[in-house]
Amino acid sequence: MYLVFPDVATIADFVADALASQVRARPESVLGLATGGTMEPVYARFLERVRQTRLDVSRLRSFNLDEYIGLTPDHPQSYAAYMKQHLFDVLGFDPLRHHLPDGCAPDEDGYCRHYSSAIYQAGGIDLQLLGVGRNGHIGFNEPGTAFDSTTHVVSLDERTRIDNSRFFAEGELVPGRAITMGLRDIMSAREILLVATGAAKAPTLAAFHRSGVTPELPFSVLKQHPRVRIVLDAEAARLLPAQACQPMVQAVLPARSA
Ligand code: F6R
């Protein structure tokens, strides 16, 4: 069943509330974090919750899904810079608690092994946030990625590079390679929340609905996870059968002060 919200704002409220509840229930939670356009309103709303409810985030830990290879953390299009801008400038960044893959690690394979084992040493991810690419990638696990993959280096799909070029300056090339948590790392999370918004994602969700579990559509692996919620806006859900969609309107609107 897909949870379908009228718009991006109501989704952001819902996901921000889910994150806040997780942190309230377990302040030392380990979150798996995504970047991308979809998450920007989510993080903005989450920071509002943190401020309004004085949520204690001092013990929170996190692991980001991915990073471009070759971009240093101060490069404006690195995911490290994205996280700083959208979350950590306000939340506070402690490198011992908040982890982002290092896109400039000299020993790539050794570093990948280290990143996956750090997740397990932290006790595993409690709540994993995911966006999805139009080709069905999660993290940067492009079509064809093995389901038992751990953190690894990938060559990005041409479609992913075109989609992500909107975040780069005109004429600036999107890196061709990235480091990403693997599908096994993602599937090890105790709970998963995948968010997709906008009409461009509608065919991807329709393919997911029709598809069996196949590496050709990487996020189809989520069908095998026991605790996954797929959260969509009306546009992303537009090609899904109505009976598979649970409309989320009044029930989740948070009480806003006048
Ligand atoms: C980024 C990530 C990617 C994005 C996906 C959707 O950390 O994990 O899988 O979630 O590319 O990106 P947007 O939200 O920009 O459509």
Side-chain angles (χ1 to χ4, degrees):
M1 191 61 94
Y2 309 98
L3 307 183
V4 181
F5 291 80
D7 51 31
V8 167
T10 45
I11 286 200
D13 279 332
F14 176 82
V15 181
D17 284 340
L19 290 172
S21 305
Q22 175 69 41
V23 179
R24 216 169 280 122
R26 197 169 119 78
E28 65 285 3
S29 286
V30 180
L31 300 180
L33 299 177
T35 59
T38 311
M39 293 302 153
E40 291 179 17
V42 168
Y43 292 146
R45 283 287 208 272
F46 177 60
L47 289 179
E48 274 177 30
R49 301 286 188 280
V50 172
R51 284 196 209 97
Q52 285 162 359
T53 64
R54 295 173 193 267
L55 188 65
D56 176 15
V57 290
S58 63
R59 281 176 286 160
L60 187 63
R61 294 167 296 163
S62 67
F63 286 87
N64 261 76
L65 281 164
D66 42 17
E67 180 59 283
Y68 292 111
I69 288 197
L71 299 194
T72 54
D74 58 353
H75 187 287
Q77 270 68 51
S78 70
Y79 286 161
Y82 171 106
M83 292 307 293
K84 185 171 177 319
Q85 181 191 346
H86 294 288
L87 207 57
F88 293 135
D89 264 349
V90 176
L91 214 60
F93 178 73
D94 173 353
L96 293 177
R97 290 188 294 114
H98 300 294
H99 309 267
L100 290 128
D102 178 356
C104 296
D107 169 14
E108 292 175 354
D109 290 344
Y111 181 78
C112 288
R113 283 194 297 278
H114 153 79
Y115 198 76
S116 282
S117 61
I119 296 171
Y120 299 107
Q121 276 162 19
I125 289 170
D126 292 303
L127 176 60
Q128 174 69 57
L129 269 190
L130 295 175
V132 61
R134 284 194 301 148
N135 63 3
H137 73 218
I138 44 179
F140 272 140
N141 292 285
E142 300 283 30
T145 304
F147 286 163
D148 64 355
S149 55
T150 53
T151 303
H152 61 289
V153 169
V154 293
S155 292
L156 294 175
D157 250 27
E158 207 40 42
R159 192 198 290 199
T160 301
R161 295 182 74 202
I162 292 168
D163 284 350
N164 288 5
S165 63
R166 71 191 194 279
F167 297 113
F168 285 74
E170 209 179 316
E172 195 180 2
L173 285 181
V174 179
R177 296 196 310 146
I179 178 167
T180 181
M181 270 165 59
L183 292 172
R184 188 162 87 197
D185 299 320
I186 292 172
M187 289 293 281
S188 303
R190 286 181 264 285
E191 189 180 348
I192 296 179
L193 228 161
L194 179 135
V195 186
T197 55
K201 302 282 170 72
T204 312
L205 268 300
F208 176 86
H209 186 72
R210 283 192 309 266
S211 163
V213 175
T214 164
E216 292 319 307
L217 192 68
F219 80 133
S220 65
V221 73
L222 299 180
K223 292 185 178 195
Q224 295 179 334
H225 195 283
R227 291 191 71 197
V228 61
R229 283 180 286 179
I230 299 192
V231 179
L232 309 173
D233 71 351
E235 290 191 344
R238 137 185 99 86
L239 300 176
L240 293 170
Q243 66 274 17
C245 297
Q246 182 178 339
M248 307 288 283
V249 194
Q250 300 299 341
V252 295
L253 283 177
R256 284 182 197 254
S257 48

